[in-house]
Amino acid sequence: QVQLVESGGGLAQAGGSLTLSCAAPESIVDDNVLGWYRQVPGKQRESVAFITRDQRSVLADSVKGRFTISRDNGKNTATLQMNSLKPDDTAIYSCYIEIKRTGVRYWGQGTQVTVSS
């Protein structure tokens, strides 16, 4: 069982910042993608951002210009820096690693992000 460990999140005021971190097992050496989804109860899950091993990143239109994603390939970790937060960013954020060769995804436990107005 592959388990990712997430940290960060919590409560922020609108306009504030939070940082999410995600650590995948260093034993995963296959080419992979690290990223985050977010989910609000009753709404469709949304892909927030992902980044490849060669540092190519894709962010959702809703977070472009406010969020950045980075990764450390040596440690198989990723960071989601969330700035200029809005109440609409309130959700459970879950990180994942996707093994390109197999398409299999492994997930973190999810972390709550709450932005107050």
Side-chain angles (χ1 to χ4, degrees):
Q1 185 73 15
V2 176
Q3 184 66 48
L4 278 64
V5 178
E6 296 188 60
S7 60
L11 178 64
Q13 290 189 331
S17 299
L18 288 171
T19 304
L20 302 183
S21 298
C22 178
E26 292 187 27
S27 57
I28 296 178
V29 296
D30 285 357
D31 194 13
N32 62 74
V33 173
L34 284 163
W36 273 269
Y37 275 81
R38 65 186 181 186
Q39 176 108 57
V40 176
K43 293 189 177 181
Q44 192 170 3
R45 187 177 65 173
E46 177 186 18
S47 175
V48 178
F50 64 86
I51 185 167
T52 64
R53 282 182 62 90
D54 58 0
Q55 307 294 336
R56 287 180 294 127
S57 62
V58 175
L59 289 94
D61 287 343
S62 58
V63 305
K64 281 180 182 177
R66 301 187 297 120
F67 292 12
T68 57
I69 186 170
S70 59
R71 67 180 288 165
D72 182 330
N73 287 336
K75 297 180 180 179
N76 257 355
T77 59
T79 299
L80 184 68
Q81 179 63 43
M82 306 184 293
N83 299 327
S84 302
L85 284 163
K86 303 176 181 180
D88 283 349
D89 295 319
T90 296
I92 295 175
Y93 286 69
S94 299
C95 76
Y96 68 91
I97 186 168
E98 179 177 308
I99 311 302
K100 283 190 172 180
R101 178 175 56 84
T102 62
V104 173
R105 283 182 180 174
Y106 301 100
W107 294 88
Q109 75 274 21
T111 187
Q112 177 70 47
V113 170
T114 302
V115 183
S116 62
S117 57

